[in-house]
Amino acid sequence: MAEVQDVIIVGGGPAGLTAAIYAGRANLSPTVFEGFAAGGQLVLTTDVENYPGFPEGIQGPELMQMFRSQAERFGATVIVEDVTRVDLSERPFRVWVDQEEHRGNSVIISTGAAARWLGLPSEQRLRGFGVSTCATCDGFFFKDRAMVVVGGGDSAMEEALFLSRMASHVTIVHRRNELRASAIMADRALANEKIDVRWNAVVEEVLGDEVVTGVRVRDVVTGELEDIPSAAVFVAIGHDPITGLFRGQVELDDAGYVVTDGTRTSVEGVFASGDVQDTVYRQAVTAAGSGCMAAMDAERWLEDQAANRASADRALAAQKDG
């Protein structure tokens, strides 16, 4: 049987690695399965300028390597493998990488969420060079220039409104003739003089060789093509939490996010942190903060379990002596 570990962390982005740092400092010797998508969405980001402590900014992959090194410094074991199966029905919990079983008294789920993309070769080629899924992260780089937001829901309206504070102009590209966003968000965007909407249109191509220079859209009614000049394209068509492993194991909401009370899930001893349970903020700094919380919650829960076992052992011993 595999040795039972105190803490197993599934996911190696800002949340999972911060959880590993705190668990390591608590002498819990955590094992982190960071997976082949190690570093989460930050590894797709070139310049990170809104993470505290880096006034000149830092490359996303470099920042995540620093997270990893710090976790290892405090005794975390980081494994570059994808977890393929879990069993959270009883303790110790069981986690597999293919046929290799690992067991843990507690588990922290930090698998994150993946932004949805348009699926265009030009979009993939220009990611980090004007194509982004995070206005808060990257909008500042294109100050006083025209920008495009793709989408029609609340997230797209939030992105457009945020960008309107710094852009010369924002064009929302939406495939329908009405927005899916809530009325209040739609009204705010439509009333903003720096925002307009290109209705009934889809992006056919992101234009530019080395950096974004615009988008080519197709009218879904007429088929007509139109080029819209832009320095940046923000894709805001939603996120998908990476929770397939945990479906049927812990409570998920309708969108597939892990339901938490703080960081506690529906299964005692299983915690969740970061974008896998955050439907609102989705920032590296908030993910790191919730990773800290999950590790501290796991530490306290493990202490309570140990105290309860010790109390039960004392009661049993007293009963035998009596």
Side-chain angles (χ1 to χ4, degrees):
M1 295 288 287
E3 180 183 353
V4 179
Q5 300 159 274
D6 285 320
V7 181
I8 291 177
I9 300 169
V10 185
L17 291 175
T18 301
I21 291 168
Y22 275 79
R25 284 174 57 85
N27 293 322
L28 295 177
S29 302
T31 295
V32 184
F33 293 94
E34 65 176 4
F36 295 116
Q41 295 187 67
L42 271 191
V43 297
L44 303 175
T45 303
T46 50
D47 295 307
V48 178
E49 292 204 331
N50 58 358
Y51 198 88
F54 298 93
E56 302 302 320
I58 186 171
Q59 298 287 300
E62 182 183 0
L63 178 60
M64 292 318 304
Q65 182 56 50
M66 294 171 74
F67 272 58
R68 192 182 200 270
S69 297
Q70 192 170 359
E72 290 175 326
R73 175 191 166 201
F74 291 117
T77 299
V78 182
I79 299 175
V80 188
E81 297 283 352
D82 282 321
V83 171
T84 54
R85 182 162 60 100
V86 300
D87 182 354
L88 307 180
S89 62
E90 60 181 1
R91 295 195 298 270
F93 304 114
R94 296 191 291 169
V95 172
W96 285 269
V97 174
D98 295 325
Q99 300 304 313
E100 184 179 326
E101 180 183 341
H102 300 260
R103 298 192 297 158
N105 286 320
S106 66
V107 169
I108 298 175
I109 300 169
S110 303
T111 44
R116 297 173 191 162
W117 295 92
L118 300 172
L120 303 172
S122 55
E123 169 195 54
Q124 183 174 359
R125 177 171 54 83
L126 291 167
R127 285 186 196 177
F129 298 95
V131 174
S132 173
T133 57
C134 181
T136 307
C137 309
D138 301 323
F140 179 80
F141 297 119
F142 308 99
K143 190 175 181 181
D144 299 324
R145 303 174 72 184
M147 307 185 204
V148 165
V149 173
V150 183
D154 279 352
S155 294
M157 299 307 106
E158 289 172 5
E159 300 279 89
L161 287 163
F162 176 83
L163 293 171
S164 70
R165 303 173 198 166
M166 60 194 75
S168 61
H169 185 77
V170 178
T171 301
I172 298 171
V173 177
H174 184 46
R175 63 169 57 244
R176 299 180 178 85
N177 61 1
E178 61 181 2
L179 298 170
R180 293 182 291 105
S182 61
I184 189 169
M185 292 300 299
D187 290 345
R188 286 177 185 171
L190 295 174
N192 191 308
E193 61 182 15
K194 293 178 72 174
I195 298 174
D196 67 22
V197 183
R198 179 62 173 87
W199 303 102
N200 296 314
V202 294
V203 175
E204 291 281 290
E205 183 180 359
V206 180
L207 305 175
D209 294 325
E210 297 182 353
V211 297
V212 170
T213 59
V215 294
R216 179 164 295 152
V217 301
R218 175 176 56 83
D219 189 300
V220 297
V221 177
T222 67
E224 179 182 355
L225 295 176
E226 175 188 357
D227 290 352
I228 301 175
S230 175
V233 180
F234 293 89
V235 181
I237 56 176
H239 290 74
D240 293 311
I242 303 171
T243 51
L245 277 173
F246 309 103
R247 194 168 298 279
Q249 306 262 354
V250 298
E251 183 183 357
L252 307 178
D253 67 14
D254 291 342
Y257 288 86
V258 179
V259 175
T260 54
D261 178 6
T263 69
R264 296 172 183 269
T265 72
S266 59
V267 176
E268 189 177 353
V270 178
F271 306 84
S273 62
D275 289 9
V276 76
Q277 49 87 237
D278 175 12
T279 64
V280 179
Y281 301 104
R282 292 193 291 261
Q283 299 296 302
V285 68
T286 54
S290 69
C292 160
M293 294 162 57
M296 294 178 72
D297 287 344
E299 177 191 0
R300 290 165 181 163
W301 182 82
L302 289 166
E303 287 178 349
D304 288 344
Q305 295 299 301
N308 291 340
R309 284 195 299 272
S311 177
D313 290 343
R314 287 194 299 268
L316 182 60
Q319 185 178 34
K320 289 180 177 179
D321 291 342

